[in-house]
Every structure is written in structure tokens, then in C-alpha cells.
Amino acid sequence: MKFWRSFLGLAGLALVAAAPQTESKSFLIAGARVADGTGAPLVTEDVRVQGDRILEVGKLPPREGERVIRGEKLVLAPGFIDVHNHSTEGLATDPLAETQISQGITTLVLGPDGDSPWPIAAYLDQRDKAPATVNVMTMVGHETVRSLVMGQDFKRKSTPGETAKMAELVAQGMKEGAMGLSSGLEYEVGSYSSTEELIALSKAAAQYGGFYMTHSRDEADKSFEAMDEALTISKQGGLPLDLSHIKLATVGVWGQAKKAVALIDAARAKGQDVTADCYPYEAWHSNIEVLVPNKQYFDAKSVDRALADVGGADRVTITACKAHPTYAGRNLAEIAKSEGISTSELFARIVKDGSADVIGHSMKTEDVDIFYRQPWVMVASDGGIGADHPRGAGTFPRVLGRFVREKHLFTLEEAVRKMTSLPATRMSLKDRGRIAPGMKADLVLFNPETVIDRSTFEEPRKLSEGIELVVVNGEAVWSDGKPTGAKPGLVLRRAEGAKP
Ligand SMILES: [Zn+2]
């Protein structure tokens, strides 16, 4: 992109970030094809940004002395909103968030899978004091409040008194700015909770206009029961539902995406507000224990069945193992062979020695494609700063490059909608997610011919290509293939009492 570099060299776009009086100054992004976030067809238009907002959209002659960014051959979209992001710690250590802004992410939502910062107010205050390149939102986590109330004694259902205490904490989290309740029911602490407990906590979140986001109880053979439970919790809790990283991850449910879609479409047809998000990969990343739903980690039969269910031990690759660092980067079949033990023995050894993080290549492309085509499915990474899965650095450009340009799964406009207005609506963001006068100026300028992810399972943090410019709250944070250094990101709290 030579013309772009030379343009930046001349005009110094970074000055947009550096100039102290940006509030009053405007700049123009001229000649780009605008994907406004609603899914409407691309239109070549000029967009004027003044301060932190979009001032005008149309055929706009430059004002005298105004900075003009040429957007010919490029697409201008609203900033991407990632509703499932694990950067709670990462934002403190890496506020430039290069792996995030290089994908075009301008707002990220923390606290998914039941695990949120706490106290929410203290955490968000810290982010106010040490701003990042991106806007930040958070959920309040079910596991987080459950651990606060039950401590180490969590391997059981909660008592009514304990449930009431958790509900109070959820309410506190909502009052302090969380957007809703998240759960991770496949994980250790959350998995012992009853549906009734989750309904009670959902009611607490609903009082503040929150929604329920869930990593459901099972993403394997009992996927459909787990989806049913999520729909029940949302219905009885009286709040909208987002199914996190929708997937069918075992042989027993492979190829059944249409059945899952029908289940959700039926609920939507009855008026239930249900969305899902999905990362664009056939492999998941979690701890090794999630492979064995019955938790019988030392029972060879259970482990063998679990490994067969995901398509075999060679489909499970270790990304990190503290006790056995040499296991990293190798799959379970390979390691077991070289150690001269069975895969179930290897599994037991790893769990006993303190677990490991693994990647499981256990989804079917056809299922991922079917989910992605649904109008209620958003793009979300389940990644974040420092992620060991390529989704952490590649999700959004991967959808634009591989799903849109190469596979023609859906239109570019629809892809942008899944990254912008759809998540903005889910997050009750009224002034982001679209390009229109008066909206906050979170913008992404990208090249639709070259945009692509470069992160791989071997090099998960390799930056994406083709994202030319990223603007957050009216300031450039990414241009010329690197961060500008500006950190205009804001904490976006739910307004108290606000309803979606
Ligand atoms: Zn999850």
C-alpha cells in the first residue's frame, strides 16, 4: 500500500492523535466505499469526523486546511465490537492492544464465560485511569460471584440463602456498570450450579436491563439440552440471551447445525431475543479437563470415550503445560507414543500434574459455516490480548478475507453488520456500531482485496494484514501498519437503570 504510506508521510495522520485540540478540528475520510454497519449496500461517500463524533456523511468537499484521508479502493466500516474477549489482565499490561486494533476491534467486552473482574467498579476505575487504545465494557461473571459466596465449597448446588447472596452481587455488578450476566457452565465452578440458580441470578441482571451470555453446559453430545437450558434461563429470567461461541464439538453432534439453528429460530419466532456469537475456526482452546464431561479424568474408559468423541487424540494439541513444558505444540497421540504410555495414562498424568491448555480440532467446517450464515450470529473472538489461539489476533480479518472474499459465505456488508451494529445492539450501545451523523467516530478503513488473518496455531499472535486505519473516539490508534500510540479508549458502563 505504497500510496497510503506516502500519503501518511506527507500528511502525518498520527497528528490526529497527537494534536491537543482535536475536539474542534475535523478530518475527512474521502472516497471510500462505506459499509455503514446496517448491512446496506456499499456506497462511495465521504465521512467527516469532528472531535469524537461523525459529523457528516455524503459528498463532502474538504474544508480549507482540513486533513483529508484518501479512501479510494478501501472500505470504511464502523469499528468492530468484540463481545467475547479475554483481555482483563492484558489491558493493564498491554494497553496498546496491537493484536486487537490491527484486526479493527475498537470496543471489547470483558468478563465472558462466567469469569469477570471484581469488584467491577474498581476494575473499571483502573481502566479509566490507564486508558487503552480500545473501548472497554464488562459482564458480571457467574463463576466470579459464586466463588465469592461459596469459596472452595462449590462442588454442590447452592442453598437459597447463597443464591440470594449471589443475586445481590450480580445486582452490585450491574449497578457498577456491567452489561449483563455471563456464565461458563462447562467449567469447574459454574458446572455445579442448578438451572434455578442461574434463573435467580438472571432475574437480578434483568432488573438492570442486562442480558444473559452463556458458555453453555455442554458443547458436545448434550449440546441441544444445553441450548434448551440457556433458552429456559433467558425466558424465565426475563432477559435476552447470547449463546457464546456457538459450536457442535463432538462426533456425536457433527453435522447437526441446522437442528441447532431450528431450535433458536423457533424461540426467536416466539419473540424471544436470542443471538449467538461464533469464532471463525474449527478448533477450540480451553483447559484439558473440558474434554471429559463426566469429570472422571482418571478413568481410562471415560477418557478414551471423550477423545474418540472429539475425533481422536491426534486432534488435541497442548499449547501450554507448566509441569511438562516439552509437551507444548504437540498432540496427545504424538506425546503418548513418544512417552510409551496410553493416551488415557497421559491424560491422567497431565491432570494430576496441574492441567494444561489445549486446542481441540473438533468442529466441522460445514457446521461453522451454517452458524455463520445466520443473521443473528455475531463475529466474536473468544480471544484477546496474549491469546494462544490464532483467533486472538485473526478473527475479524479472517471473516472478511476467508469467509467473505474467498468462500463467499455472505456479503461484505453482512459481515460488517455482524461485527458492528449487531453486537452494538446486543450491548445496548446506541451511539456506536453504525456510520451516521452523530455516532461516535469508531472507524475501520480496510482493503477488501487484501484483508486477511496471519495468525496460526504455531504463531497465534502474528498480526493481521489489510486493516489500514483504525479510529477510536475520533483519534487514529492504528495506521501505517502500527499503533499510533494514542489511547483514546473509554470505559463504557451501563447507565444505571437503563433498559436495552
Ligand atoms: Zn467459553
Side-chain angles (χ1 to χ4, degrees), residues 4 7 11-13 15-17 19 21-30 46-57 60-63 65-70 76 441-445 469-477:
W4 180 255
F7 167 79
L13 185 67
L15 286 178
V16 175
Q21 66 285 57
T22 31
E23 281 302 296
S24 55
K25 285 200 173 170
S26 66
F27 66 92
L28 193 66
I29 302 176
D46 309 316
V47 174
R48 174 166 285 125
V49 173
Q50 180 147 24
D52 65 351
R53 289 191 187 262
I54 296 167
L55 186 68
E56 301 173 87
V57 180
L60 307 172
R63 292 168 172 172
E66 186 175 49
R67 259 188 306 273
V68 179
I69 296 153
R70 302 305 322 177
L76 184 65
D442 291 349
L443 297 164
V444 181
L445 192 61
L469 172 73
V470 180
V471 173
V472 174
N473 296 313
E475 290 192 45
V477 296

Side-chain angles (χ1 to χ4, degrees), residues 84 86 112-114 183-184 186-187 214-216 219 244-245 247 279 285-286 382 391:
H84 194 120
H86 292 281
D113 294 328
S183 71
E186 238 183 351
Y187 293 114
T214 183
H215 172 147
S216 68
E219 298 183 323
S244 295
H245 42 60
K247 68 169 81 79
Y279 51 79
H285 184 217
S286 193
D382 193 10
R391 66 194 180 204

Side-chain angles (χ1 to χ4, degrees), residues 224-388:
F224 296 103
E225 288 95 317
M227 284 178 201
D228 268 332
E229 184 192 26
L231 289 165
T232 301
I233 292 165
S234 143
K235 201 169 174 188
Q236 302 203 7
L239 76 184
L241 170 65
D242 180 58
L243 290 161
S244 295
H245 42 60
I246 190 167
K247 68 169 81 79
L248 295 167
T250 46
V251 175
V253 287
W254 277 354
Q256 296 189 43
K258 280 187 182 150
K259 186 177 160 192
V261 167
L263 189 72
I264 294 159
D265 275 343
R268 285 171 57 85
K270 284 187 203 143
Q272 204 171 344
D273 180 355
V274 185
T275 54
D277 57 75
C278 192
Y279 51 79
Y281 295 85
E282 294 83 42
W284 48 263
H285 184 217
S286 193
N287 60 52
I288 197 166
E289 286 91 343
V290 301
L291 280 163
V292 184
N294 69 5
K295 296 187 165 57
Q296 303 300 307
Y297 311 127
F298 306 105
D299 170 44
K301 246 193 194 161
S302 297
V303 171
D304 286 343
R305 191 185 322 124
L307 292 175
D309 277 349
V310 297
D314 58 335
R315 285 176 169 266
V316 180
T317 302
I318 294 190
T319 59
C321 181
K322 271 203 190 114
H324 306 281
T326 57
Y327 290 179
R330 300 158 71 199
N331 71 53
L332 293 184
E334 234 174 275
I335 301 168
K337 203 175 162 204
S338 72
E339 303 269 315
I341 53 176
S342 70
T343 46
S344 58
E345 285 168 327
L346 173 66
F347 192 96
R349 176 192 288 178
I350 292 170
V351 172
K352 188 163 68 63
D353 293 350
S355 188
D357 288 340
V358 300
I359 281 170
H361 292 263
S362 68
M363 286 171 261
K364 279 288 180 207
T365 307
E366 303 87 88
D367 288 326
V368 177
D369 288 357
I370 288 171
F371 286 136
Y372 251 98
R373 280 202 207 99
Q374 304 312 311
W376 39 264
V377 170
M378 302 178 265
V379 179
S381 75
D382 193 10
I385 296 164
D388 284 329

